[in-house]
Amino acid sequence: MSDTPYSQTLAAIDALHAEDPRSVEVEGESLPQELFYARRMSAWLETLVEAPSEPLQLAVRAQHLQRWKVPREAYPEGRVGYLTWRRDQGKRAGETTAGLMEAAGYPAEAAARASSLIRKQGLGRDPETQALEDCACLVFLENYFGDFSRQVEHDHLIRIVQKTWKKMSPEAHALALALPMSDEARGLVEEALAG
């Protein structure tokens, strides 16, 4: 890989991901959880967008940047606590990513663009923000939904699936429905979509 602002920023993002003390077993290899998540995000972006801009590629890769440093439990329980935590995480990840981009030689406008994408500004109006949201929803459904569904009360889970679905594009809907899922998980998705 050539030593471009993009390659330098990507390497810096992944170095921060690699600091995640939590790990996940993937095909016999132990990976930092955040690095696994980031790679899945990038893989979905390749499927969803034919020629993504560099700020979008970096924003997708950095969406959960150092999220493990401020756990959800550090905020109050409930929806307001969750939304505040998520907003603060997006702001922090966006600022860190913009700083890495500028340090690698990106102009301030490109760094600001990546930061705004990470904060999901313009969701529903901006195609790149939509692409990032689609990646996040697909990574969740593909890798985390099965375990998550066993930890959340049924009716609340159905509402979460419905809210997730509303944030996704029609293309992401089609991809989500083609994902391999357990019968139980597929039944939950079908119930949510019928509701």
Side-chain angles (χ1 to χ4, degrees):
M1 192 180 279
S2 60
D3 200 26
T4 62
Y6 176 79
S7 65
Q8 287 178 44
T9 306
L10 187 66
I13 288 168
D14 282 353
L16 291 176
H17 287 322
E19 293 175 5
D20 187 349
R22 305 161 305 160
S23 63
V24 61
E25 195 77 18
V26 182
E27 296 173 6
E29 180 186 3
S30 181
L31 282 176
Q33 277 186 27
E34 204 173 84
L35 185 59
F36 171 73
Y37 178 87
R39 287 177 178 172
R40 295 305 311 139
M41 288 286 289
S42 292
W44 274 115
L45 182 63
E46 287 180 22
T47 300
L48 284 162
V49 180
E50 191 172 325
S53 69
E54 288 184 7
L56 175 58
Q57 291 178 66
L58 294 169
V60 162
R61 190 66 162 221
Q63 195 228 351
H64 276 189
L65 192 62
Q66 296 183 306
R67 186 170 269 205
W68 51 271
K69 283 193 165 187
V70 183
R72 169 65 184 93
E73 298 76 42
Y75 285 73
E77 286 191 31
R79 182 165 168 73
V80 172
Y82 170 73
L83 293 174
T84 304
W85 169 76
R86 204 175 69 182
R87 182 202 64 215
D88 291 352
Q89 290 283 21
K91 183 175 186 291
R92 204 168 54 75
E95 288 171 354
T96 302
T97 303
L100 295 173
M101 289 175 71
E102 288 192 48
Y106 276 102
E109 307 80 60
R113 175 65 177 156
S115 181
S116 77
L117 290 169
I118 290 170
R119 292 191 315 276
K120 298 184 185 174
Q121 293 184 321
L123 185 59
R125 300 182 312 276
D126 184 320
E128 288 193 322
T129 303
Q130 185 62 58
L132 185 145
E133 182 65 29
D134 284 347
C135 290
C137 292
L138 288 162
V139 169
F140 168 70
L141 290 168
E142 178 186 38
N143 300 284
Y144 305 103
F145 179 64
D147 288 340
F148 181 77
S149 68
R150 291 186 282 277
Q151 301 166 18
V152 178
E153 182 269 325
H154 179 83
D155 290 349
H156 183 56
L157 183 65
I158 295 299
R159 287 191 301 274
I160 289 171
V161 173
Q162 289 168 340
K163 286 178 181 175
T164 299
W165 207 257
K166 282 180 186 168
K167 293 189 281 185
M168 296 165 69
S169 69
E171 182 184 8
H173 289 159
L175 291 165
L177 290 172
L179 288 171
M181 287 184 206
S182 69
D183 291 343
E184 183 184 357
R186 184 161 302 283
L188 288 164
V189 170
E190 288 172 358
E191 180 183 345
L193 298 185

